[in-house]
Amino acid sequence: MITSLFFLVALLVGVPIGVCLCLSGIVYIFATGGTVLFQSFPMQMFAGVDSYGLIAIPLFILIGEIMNSGGITRRLVDLSMAFIGSVKGGLAYVNILANMLVSSIIGSATAQVAIMSQVMVPEMEKQGYDKTFAAGLTVYGGMLGPIIPPSVMFVVFSVLAQVAVGDMLIAGIIPGVLLTLLFFAVIALMGFIYDYPRSERRTLAQRARTIVLASPTLLIPIVIVGSILGGLANPTEAAAVGALSSALVGRYVTKEFRLNAMPAILLRSAIYSAVVLFLVAAAAVFSWLLIYGKVPQMVAAWIQTVAHDPITFLLLTNVILLVIGTVIDGIPGLIMTVPILLPIATEVYHIDPRHFGVVVVINLVLGLMTPPVGLSFFVASAVTGARPGKMFLVTLPFFLISCVALVLLSLFPSLSLALLE
């Protein structure tokens, strides 16, 4: 109780989540009188990041930075517009499709929202869309970032769950495509009701020219995802090749990437990577102390009195994680919940850890779009000036359809595991 109270107070006063986890561990050791555990404290932190798979994280982050600097995002948007054509609500479809293409490179919801809000919202405003709707739609498009590979959250889950990183990345492909199609269905329905404007009409020659100019940018996701699916490279190697590919495309195809920008890009990538890896190290200590204190066993005993089968357990987990995700960012949420819930899911209910990982990650990502915090809405608000609360209300159908997708994924494990069988 003392440890829990300290953790909540520290979190509420704004102490970074990684520091909260470490300090809470120290408080727990003092409160239980097990000062001998201090001898293992630094070793547990080191063990948490002593994993080859974690090298993929800074490489995926580097890919996103190079891509943004090299103008590749703009080309992917143009490519999406060439395919969609001039249908009713065309630019709304383009927003989601472009986000799906970009998510196969960036892998971070908040980073993707920040980048795509700058690109898509002004363009949608020009064509007559409400700015609040445009910003909110971009937020839900950004939800695809941590689901479609590469995904920093899947890499972190893989390390926490001791699951192959490649398996987790592949498990996110079908759920990501499913969410995209469901978002398309919502846009079609809302476009019929609210009479969305049509996209700018383009001739066949204009579309062909756009496709030819923008197609080389697809080499990046093809190299990353294709090499993993084809067994040619593990995720870390694929990320390294993807970083090189993005630099070459930005330098020689879009011709917007400058080598003198590389020091700043590397610095930003290093800072963000350090934050993520420190969280993983803190999680290792936190998990170690949870196991020492037999917390998973106590939680398992309570859950078994409520959930009598795997489906009930997953639905209960959905509710718990959605609440947690409303106030805590994705990676810290993983770090806090996976060490407790994963042993219960695998050992008590015999749920495949890869399927459980997909459900957990989508849950926590959806929390980024859920009040009272809704971090992604605040990111979009900072970029566009739209009000976060109004964004949530205007795009409520997308939240509801995301919940439907989450239930479907919980009920049908094959949606996550089909490409792995």
Side-chain angles (χ1 to χ4, degrees):
M1 290 298 295
I2 294 172
T3 306
S4 301
L5 183 61
F6 174 84
F7 179 81
L8 289 173
V9 171
L11 200 62
L12 290 173
V13 299
V15 177
I17 184 70
V19 178
C20 280
L21 292 171
C22 290
L23 292 178
S24 297
I26 293 171
V27 169
Y28 175 82
I29 290 172
F30 276 119
T32 57
T35 52
V36 69
L37 295 175
F38 279 123
Q39 297 176 14
S40 301
F41 199 96
M43 289 187 291
Q44 292 295 331
M45 289 194 74
F46 176 77
V49 292
D50 185 21
S51 170
Y52 175 74
L54 286 176
I55 301 174
I57 291 178
L59 290 171
F60 285 148
I61 293 168
L62 179 61
I63 291 171
E65 291 288 345
I66 294 174
M67 188 197 74
N68 192 34
S69 176
I72 296 171
T73 305
R74 179 74 258 177
R75 295 291 182 96
L76 289 172
V77 172
D78 289 341
L79 185 64
S80 302
M81 293 186 73
F83 279 114
I84 293 296
S86 56
V87 299
K88 182 185 287 292
L91 207 54
Y93 290 106
V94 167
N95 192 326
I96 297 298
L97 182 59
N99 266 291
M100 186 181 76
L101 293 174
V102 172
S103 69
S104 65
I105 303 171
I106 293 181
S108 166
T110 50
Q112 186 164 323
V113 168
I115 293 169
M116 296 301 289
S117 292
Q118 298 174 49
V119 176
M120 291 304 308
V121 175
E123 193 68 31
M124 291 183 73
E125 275 192 284
K126 284 180 190 175
Q127 294 201 18
Y129 289 86
D130 176 64
K131 179 171 72 174
T132 303
F133 171 76
L137 182 63
T138 306
V139 166
Y140 282 97
M143 181 180 175
L144 301 172
I147 301 170
I148 295 177
S151 166
V152 173
M153 287 184 69
F154 277 148
V155 174
V156 173
F157 178 87
S158 299
V159 174
L160 293 173
Q162 297 297 298
V163 175
V165 176
D167 285 357
M168 283 308 308
L169 295 179
I170 293 169
I173 295 175
I174 293 178
V177 173
L178 174 65
L179 268 172
T180 301
L181 294 176
L182 290 174
F183 288 162
F184 279 176
V186 173
I187 291 170
L189 181 60
M190 293 180 71
F192 177 77
I193 296 172
Y194 297 108
D195 195 26
Y196 287 156
R198 294 181 178 273
S199 297
E200 180 182 348
R201 191 173 296 278
R202 297 187 179 193
T203 65
L204 189 60
Q206 287 175 322
R207 291 186 189 180
R209 184 173 180 274
T210 300
I211 291 170
V212 169
L213 290 174
S215 290
T217 59
L218 292 177
L219 286 173
I220 304 169
I222 289 171
V223 164
I224 296 170
V225 180
S227 60
I228 296 172
L229 285 174
L232 300 175
N234 62 41
T236 303
E237 294 164 346
V241 176
L244 177 61
S245 301
S246 60
L248 292 175
V249 170
R251 178 70 173 166
Y252 298 108
V253 178
T254 67
K255 298 181 180 179
E256 294 182 32
F257 176 64
R258 298 288 180 267
L259 291 178
N260 58 11
M262 204 62 193
I265 289 173
L266 290 172
L267 179 61
R268 288 195 299 270
S269 300
I271 291 171
Y272 186 57
S273 300
V275 170
V276 174
L277 293 173
F278 177 70
L279 282 171
V280 175
V285 174
F286 191 69
S287 303
W288 168 58
L289 291 173
L290 285 175
I291 293 168
Y292 181 82
K294 298 182 179 179
V295 173
Q297 292 90 325
M298 290 187 287
V299 174
W302 174 78
I303 287 180
Q304 283 181 277
T305 63
V306 180
H308 302 291
D309 56 77
I311 291 177
T312 308
F313 167 74
L314 282 174
L315 294 177
L316 178 63
T317 299
N318 285 338
V319 175
I320 294 171
L321 292 178
L322 194 58
V323 172
I324 291 173
T326 61
V327 292
I328 297 176
D329 199 1
I331 292 176
L334 276 179
I335 288 166
M336 290 177 59
T337 57
V338 169
I340 298 174
L341 295 176
L342 182 66
I344 303 170
T346 56
E347 295 170 17
V348 177
Y349 296 100
H350 308 292
I351 297 169
D352 190 298
R354 299 166 297 182
H355 172 224
F356 185 69
V358 170
V359 172
V360 169
V361 167
I362 294 178
N363 245 299
L364 292 172
V365 172
L366 188 57
L368 294 172
M369 293 91 185
T370 310
V373 178
L375 180 61
S376 287
F377 283 122
F378 281 97
V379 172
S381 176
V383 175
T384 65
R387 290 169 54 191
K390 192 175 178 184
M391 266 190 269
F392 175 75
L393 292 175
V394 168
T395 55
L396 186 59
F398 293 93
F399 176 81
L400 297 176
I401 204 68
S402 299
C403 292
V404 170
L406 199 50
V407 171
L408 289 174
L409 289 167
S410 300
L411 295 177
F412 303 104
S414 58
L415 291 174
S416 304
L417 304 176
L419 295 179
L420 297 170
E421 295 173 351

